[in-house]
Structures are given as structure tokens and as C-alpha cells.
Amino acid sequence: MKGYFTNDAGGVATESRTSSPVRIPRDIETLTHPQVKNLYPCGEGAGYAGGIVSACMDGEKVAAQITALLNSSIVA
């Protein structure tokens, strides 16, 4: 992707012309599915974004949550 895929890119993702008609539930604090252990619904397909930018931001939010969880388990 000339001009887009660079070392300076904050997020690279494909864009489609559809949105998810459903929303997969997730806990507000842990961002995990309330019934399926270690499932982190995020982005447009899970119903938490309305476009490529908000999907990227939601993915970063979930990645930060997972990183914090992993870091806390390493320290503990």
C-alpha cells in the first residue's frame, strides 16, 4: 500500500462498506465478553465502531487492556 503502509503508520486496516447488524456484549471495565473467557469483542464487526478510524481506536483500547492484564500477571 504505497504511501499508507509505513513505519509511521499508527494503524493499518481494511475498510468495507458494511457495518455489523449485531453487537457482541462486553463488560465495560474488562472489555471481555461476560460469558466467554478471554474473548475481547472489538471493532466494527463486534458492533463497537462505525468506521475504520473508530475501529482502529477501539482495537487500540482493547490491546491496551490486554497489555495491562498481561503486565499485571507478570508482576504478580
Side-chain angles (χ1 to χ4, degrees):
M1 296 177 60
K2 188 174 181 177
Y4 293 96
F5 188 63
T6 69
N7 290 336
D8 297 326
V12 178
T14 58
E15 183 174 6
S16 69
R17 294 179 158 252
T18 61
S19 289
S20 177
V22 297
R23 185 170 204 163
I24 300 172
R26 75 177 180 193
D27 183 86
I28 293 172
E29 291 184 21
T30 65
L31 304 181
T32 59
H33 189 281
Q35 297 166 327
V36 181
K37 186 177 179 180
N38 295 325
L39 177 64
Y40 290 82
C42 69
E44 193 166 352
Y48 290 93
I52 193 165
V53 174
S54 59
C56 183
M57 293 172 66
D58 192 50
E60 288 180 335
K61 178 180 175 180
V62 169
Q65 177 70 18
I66 294 169
T67 300
L69 178 68
L70 291 174
N71 285 337
S72 70
S73 67
I74 291 171
V75 173

